[in-house]
């Protein structure tokens, strides 16, 4: 059975049908803050097959929280995941890109309590006139040889098949839909009326960065995201503990039933749900698991954790690798996505496990990917800016079958 990642699957679906290429300049940050390190972790190798204790920075939050945000204290923790195949509800994938488990330190920061909503994104678009990647018509000069009538703006949409299908062919449930965008997540006949408090979807990486900049925020690094998601817990399978639904209680919006043709909604929701429908984690973050995937600022490399672990030291505020490399699609520029979505299931994709990693081609927008933002503490020192190639890409369906 083929492996899956949130946007990699639909990207590969389109690889023979579509051309996709985008990148965007992005900010990386590094700061200084008093650290609290366990001495054993600081003086010995951090390449471990197990988790050492999470050590949170001490002290109160630096002032009143920005609206809709909570303070994440930062500190040192073990990042990554055990082989999910050894875990209940862990699925069939080894997810070796989430190992070795290694020690990481991050400074404290503010984080949105929820994913960015349709209402928030609408305010951004109204204020700026921003046009998302999915709304832009591809230019003929970028796609020589493609018939003019095929240069149509649109995006990727999950559509459950009528009957059970082979899980080796995700084109059975993913398709490129002309006219699909954040206002029309499932295509031109859909809309977001009455869904103001649902997470915005059909946003490419570039779109998420643009919103964050307008809001005076940024996207989290992958390390910041995982530290926040773990909520101070050490090595737990999920953001809330080691049981998928403790005492029979559903903790996140994922997929139940038979994938991909039937979501039985045992968790209370079939498909995407309004934000904050489940209990928050220990830091007060809602939907840090499930509902929609969340973009992070890190470029994706399958070997990144192995490279970090080579030094045997605690990685300080890691910003991600300098280049992207997905062995499944070596030519695609991808960013890390985290948290899983309403489509995650042990039958196919169990990336609701907190230490596991997703990946998305930077111009791929889908109806199960959104984002949340973070904000540095007021006295953080931003000392590093990473430039990324500044050329646009767009998804394009070559021809309908």
């Amino acid at each position: 059975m083929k492996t899956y990642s949130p946007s990699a699957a639909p990207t590969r679906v389109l690889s023979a049908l579509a051309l996709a290429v985008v990148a965007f300049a992005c900010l990386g940050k590094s700061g200084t803050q008093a650290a609290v390190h366990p001495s054993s972790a600081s003086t010995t190798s951090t390449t471990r097959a197990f988790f050492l204790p999470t050590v949170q920075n001490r002290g109160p939050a630096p002032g009143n929280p920005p609206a809709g945000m909570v303070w994440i204290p930062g500190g040192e923790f073990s990042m990554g995941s055990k082989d999910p195949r050894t875990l209940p509800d862990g699925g069939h994938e080894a997810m070796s890109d989430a190992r070795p488990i290694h020690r990481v330190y991050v400074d404290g920061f503010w984080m949105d309590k929820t994913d960015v909503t349709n209402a928030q994104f609408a305010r951004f678009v109204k204020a700026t006139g921003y046009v998302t990647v999915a709304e832009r018509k591809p230019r003929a000069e970028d796609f020589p040889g493609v018939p003019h009538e095929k240069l149509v703006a649109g995006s990727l949409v999950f559509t459950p098949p009528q009957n059970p299908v082979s899980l080796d062919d995700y084109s059975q449930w993913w398709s490129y839909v002309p006219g699909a965008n954040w206002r029309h997540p499932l295509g031109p006949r859909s809309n977001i009326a009455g869904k103001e408090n649902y997470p915005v979807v059909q946003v490419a990486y570039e779109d998420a960065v643009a919103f964050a900049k307008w809001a005076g925020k940024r996207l989290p690094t992958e390390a910041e995201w995982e530290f926040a998601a773990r909520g101070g817990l050490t090595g737990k399978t999920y953001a809330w503990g080691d049981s998928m639904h403790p005492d029979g209680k559903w903790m996140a919006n994922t997929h139940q039933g038979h994938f991909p043709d039937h979501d039985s909604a045992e968790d209370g929701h079939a498909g995407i749900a309004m934000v904050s429908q489940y209990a928050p984690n220990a830091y007060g973050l809602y939907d840090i698991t499930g509902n929609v995937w969340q973009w992070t600022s890190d470029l994706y490399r399958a070997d990144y954790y192995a490279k970090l672990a080579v030094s045997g030291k605690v990685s300080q505020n890691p910003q991600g690798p300098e280049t992207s490399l997905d062995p499944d699609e070596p030519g695609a520029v991808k960013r890390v996505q985290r948290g899983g979505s309403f489509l995650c299931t042990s039958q196919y994709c169990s990336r609701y496990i907190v230490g596991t990693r997703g990946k998305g081609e930077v111009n791929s927008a889908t109806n199960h990917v959104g984002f949340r933002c973070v904000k540095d503490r007021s006295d953080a020192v931003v000392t590093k800016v990473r430039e990324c190639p500044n050329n646009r890409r767009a998804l394009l369906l070559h021809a309908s079958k």
Side-chain angles (χ1 to χ4, degrees), residues 37 46 75-79 102-106 223-224 227 308 313-318:
H37 301 302
T46 58
E76 186 176 311
F77 74 113
S78 292
M79 184 172 178
H102 55 290
R103 293 296 279 183
V104 172
Y105 171 83
V106 296
E224 287 173 332
F227 183 91
L308 286 180
K313 299 178 180 179
V314 176
S315 296
Q316 302 282 327
N317 293 308

Side-chain angles (χ1 to χ4, degrees), residues 138-189:
R139 301 185 306 171
E141 55 266 38
D142 293 333
F143 304 99
V146 176
H148 178 76
E149 64 271 17
K150 298 299 181 184
L151 296 172
V152 179
S155 196
L156 290 157
V157 174
F158 169 81
T159 305
Q162 294 297 312
N163 302 295
V165 295
S166 170
L167 297 186
D168 290 328
D169 182 11
Y170 29 65
S171 66
Q172 296 292 311
W173 58 90
W174 283 108
S175 58
Y176 185 89
V177 177
N181 55 55
W182 75 273
R183 291 185 176 93
H184 308 285
L186 304 181
R189 294 184 179 181

